[in-house]
Amino acid sequence: MVEMLQATLEPQKDGSLTRARSILQCTVGSKPPVSICSLSKEFTFTQLDLELEESEQVIFAVKGPQIIHLSGYYVPSQAVSKREASTSTDDLIMYP
């Protein structure tokens, strides 16, 4: 699973921001795109609380003149986490 936490608008090369809006859209699988947020000079970032499963392809797209950066983190699946975190004596090799 991937958790997306924040979207931030990147300033132009001269450091300025345009008044035009840049819209972040997300497409999951074959479903139609969904607008996640709209950023502009007045609203340069927003907090997100998106949980995306790995079972379907997810595509992010920006409609507008500026770049939007996303931040978040990857959460390993429960099966992998439990296997890696296992410390039972059955998993240990003991030498005399």
Side-chain angles (χ1 to χ4, degrees):
M1 175 174 48
V2 174
E3 293 196 23
M4 303 307 299
L5 300 176
Q6 184 170 322
T8 305
L9 196 61
E10 179 180 301
Q12 295 178 330
K13 291 184 181 190
D14 65 1
S16 67
L17 295 166
T18 66
R19 293 190 66 76
R21 294 192 174 278
S22 292
I23 299 169
L24 176 65
Q25 293 186 329
C26 179
T27 303
V28 178
S30 60
K31 298 174 184 165
V34 175
S35 294
I36 303 297
C37 65
S38 175
L39 300 176
S40 67
K41 185 176 185 174
E42 293 81 22
F43 302 99
T44 59
F45 72 95
T46 189
Q47 299 296 315
L48 303 173
D49 188 13
L50 300 175
E51 293 182 1
L52 306 168
E53 296 294 328
E54 298 173 59
S55 59
E56 293 191 76
Q57 182 180 27
V58 177
I59 299 172
F60 289 97
V62 176
K63 304 294 182 188
Q66 292 186 240
I67 296 171
I68 295 177
H69 293 275
L70 297 174
S71 63
Y73 58 93
Y74 175 74
V75 178
S77 66
Q78 291 290 349
V80 172
S81 295
K82 287 181 182 177
R83 194 174 332 118
E84 290 176 353
S86 176
T87 57
S88 71
T89 56
D90 295 337
D91 295 336
L92 300 175
I93 299 173
M94 305 294 280
Y95 293 102

